[in-house]
Amino acid sequence: MASRESVAPTAPPPRSTSAWRWLSALAQALIVVLIGETGVQLELARQTEEQRALVLAYVAGVRARLETELNSTLYLSSGLVAFASARADLLDVAHVTDLLSALYKTGRNVRNIVIAPDNRVKWVYPLAGNERVIGLYYPNNPQQWPAVERAIKRRGTIVAGPVDLVQGGRGLVSRTPIFRSNGEYWGLLSLVIDWDSLQKTAGLEAESSEYRLAIRGKDAEGARGAVFFGSEQVFAMRPVESQLELPGGSWTIAAIPAGGWTTPSIRIQALRLLYCVIAAMIGSLAYRLMQEKHERELARDELARLNNELEAHINARTAELRSANDELARMVQTLRKTQSDLVRSEKLAALGALVAGIAHELNTPVGNSLLAASTLMEKLRQLTKGDANLKRSEWTAALAQMHEASDIIQRSLGRASELISSFKQVATDRTTAQRRRFTLAGAIHDLVVTLQPSLRRSGVSIDEAEIPDTKLDSYPGPLDQVLMNLIQNAVLHAYPSGGPGRIRLSATLDGAWVCIAVEDFGCGIAPENLSRVFDPFFTTRLGQGGTGLGLHIVHNIVTGTLGGEIDVKSEPGRGSCFTIRLPLHAPLQPDDPSDHAAH
């Protein structure tokens, strides 16, 4: 690493006067205050506009609902006015009742419909509850005559109210003058709209949880009219207003938020306090920065010196770490070689144990065969002496003995042949690790036959449960090694004091997979050791015949060469069960022959 050039210390610049430092700091603080106050004002304006937009949307909704309700009712009278104008002198009770009934049923919020020829009420529908209206002469009613007179002069519909009705209650009165075809005034059509019903259908609320609403313009006088809904104070609080046009005039709808318009909130005051604090801090910081400028320049020279020392120290430390890393790499390589040698030694040791067991087991059938052959030879020698005085019974007994000797030789040699064949297959698979097709039941049987001699001396027996006779396209050698290591591990750890003991082998099919279980009924595995049993060099019998590599080799073969999974369950005092899950077609290995790749 190239060393950096040392930075030569520079002379400090001339110090500013105290007054200049204070003025500079004050100017920066004032700038922050101005920026902060501008932001606060913009936020207040935004909140106010947002609030007015919400109120405006509310007012527009109220106006739309009122307009819909009123128009759907007021325009019903236009057809009746046209009919009455054309047939004013021909109207009778039957016609009028039918027309008023149809109009009443069609309209919404209609309280009653009144026809007053020559300004005197003659017909009203419905009549029930409105009997007192019959005969009412408008010129004699000071409350209603001004509006009636204004409608006649205007020669058009006007809306009055809300007013107190003669028949009780409050309502809006739509008055439309009726003129004959020659232009002569005939009478008046009044449509009374129930004010309470209109409020409900239009959803009017003077005060809600969010808004306060008011309407002015009684008798459709617009902004000049009196407030007839809500509080008059609403119009004094800068409300959002909207005009609702009516025949002969208009209403003014106004609304404000229920809590009034936005005032500087605690959040705004907090923002003001915050930017004042920030301004003070910035001013103080600016003053402090100018004061410390010279000190920083001196510190820069000291930092350059320390940096050079640090680089030298880092270079020395890097060299030490590189040396330690090289030593660690050599140790890892040595450890891997040692592990490989131990694995190879364990394989040879297992094969040697098989050879010793098979050799010991062959002694019995071979010895029996030799004894029977000797007996057979002796009998043949006796029969070939040519003694003419040999009795028939002696000849029969000799033949029986020769038959028995031949049977003993055949059975003993058959047993020896089975042992040699199983050992030959297991030994070939263990040493070559060649991929081939084989039956699972046959492979397990050959392994059990091969292991029986050594297991019998240990006092441990193997039970072969029902094993499916399915075919595998896999590696019988690695599979034998896995099962042999698991069985030997059970003998060594499940029954550390020797037999009697029992190991159970079983297998089941699961689609394109086979599950093999190796179960013992010994002392079990401690719970704290279950997660470590497949770790290399982990053993509970170090120095007592355990290397800690048996189950590690099993795990590597199952998950690597055989392409499967392995799991273990154990309960102290009740034994352990290793479960191997293998595919019927093992994954191809890089060194597999090309002809297997086609299957």
Side-chain angles (χ1 to χ4, degrees), residues 154-457:
R154 187 176 178 269
R155 301 181 69 87
T157 301
I158 64 171
V159 176
V163 297
D164 295 328
L165 302 175
V166 175
Q167 60 271 38
R170 287 171 57 84
L172 297 175
V173 182
S174 168
R175 297 182 174 93
T176 305
I178 303 174
F179 295 89
R180 300 177 189 272
S181 58
N182 59 3
E184 181 184 353
Y185 175 70
W186 178 82
L188 187 73
L189 171 66
S190 296
L191 189 66
V192 180
I193 301 172
D194 189 288
W195 173 242
D196 293 332
S197 175
L198 178 63
Q199 290 183 68
K200 292 180 181 179
T201 56
L204 296 183
E205 290 183 281
E207 293 190 12
S208 66
S209 60
E210 296 182 0
Y211 304 103
R212 294 177 62 190
L213 181 68
I215 305 175
R216 78 184 319 157
K218 185 176 181 181
D219 295 333
E221 292 184 356
R224 302 188 310 274
V227 175
F228 62 87
F229 181 80
S231 173
E232 191 171 357
Q233 295 179 352
V234 172
F235 286 92
M237 301 176 69
R238 298 184 299 112
V240 174
E241 298 182 0
S242 180
Q243 297 295 322
L244 174 61
E245 298 298 329
L246 298 171
S250 63
W251 288 347
T252 301
I253 306 172
I256 60 172
W261 297 108
T262 301
T263 57
S265 61
I266 295 177
R267 179 171 174 269
I268 296 298
Q269 301 300 338
L271 285 175
R272 283 199 173 105
L273 178 60
L274 178 62
Y275 72 65
C276 288
V277 172
I278 292 174
M281 292 175 61
I282 289 178
S284 176
L285 181 62
Y287 180 80
R288 181 63 180 167
L289 288 175
M290 287 186 292
Q291 191 175 10
E292 293 180 350
K293 184 177 180 181
H294 177 65
E295 297 175 4
R296 289 200 306 272
E297 290 176 349
L298 293 178
R300 183 181 59 188
D301 296 339
E302 180 67 14
L303 182 61
R305 183 184 65 80
L306 293 175
N307 187 50
N308 291 334
E309 293 180 359
L310 180 61
E311 286 185 357
H313 181 71
I314 290 175
N315 290 336
R317 185 60 178 165
T318 301
E320 294 177 3
L321 290 176
R322 186 178 293 111
S323 176
N325 189 52
D326 293 342
E327 181 65 22
L328 182 61
R330 287 193 295 271
M331 291 177 63
V332 169
Q333 185 176 3
T334 302
L335 183 61
R336 287 178 179 171
K337 184 176 182 302
T338 302
Q339 181 178 351
S340 177
D341 292 342
L342 287 174
V343 171
R344 188 160 46 252
S345 298
E346 184 153 325
K347 288 183 180 180
L348 293 176
L351 193 58
L354 282 179
V355 171
I358 290 297
H360 182 273
E361 188 71 10
L362 284 175
N363 282 336
T364 300
V366 171
N368 291 340
S369 298
L370 287 174
L371 180 60
S374 299
T375 303
L376 181 63
M377 196 66 163
E378 178 64 24
K379 289 298 179 183
L380 288 174
R381 187 180 61 77
Q382 293 176 0
L383 292 175
T384 56
K385 285 182 178 181
D387 189 352
N389 296 323
L390 186 66
K391 297 179 180 180
R392 183 178 181 85
S393 60
E394 293 176 345
W395 174 262
T396 302
L399 286 178
Q401 290 178 358
M402 286 189 292
H403 276 296
E404 183 179 0
S406 298
D407 187 54
I408 291 173
I409 292 172
Q410 184 178 9
R411 289 200 309 271
S412 298
L413 291 179
R415 171 63 177 165
S417 175
E418 180 184 8
L419 288 172
I420 292 171
S421 176
S422 297
F423 172 73
K424 179 181 178 182
Q425 185 62 60
V426 171
T428 301
D429 289 338
R430 288 291 300 272
T431 54
T432 61
Q434 184 178 3
R435 183 190 183 107
R436 65 182 178 86
R437 290 181 179 84
F438 60 94
T439 62
L440 180 63
I444 292 180
H445 178 72
D446 289 344
L447 179 64
V448 170
V449 169
T450 306
L451 291 177
Q452 283 286 10
S454 59
L455 293 177
R456 190 179 300 115
R457 291 197 303 272

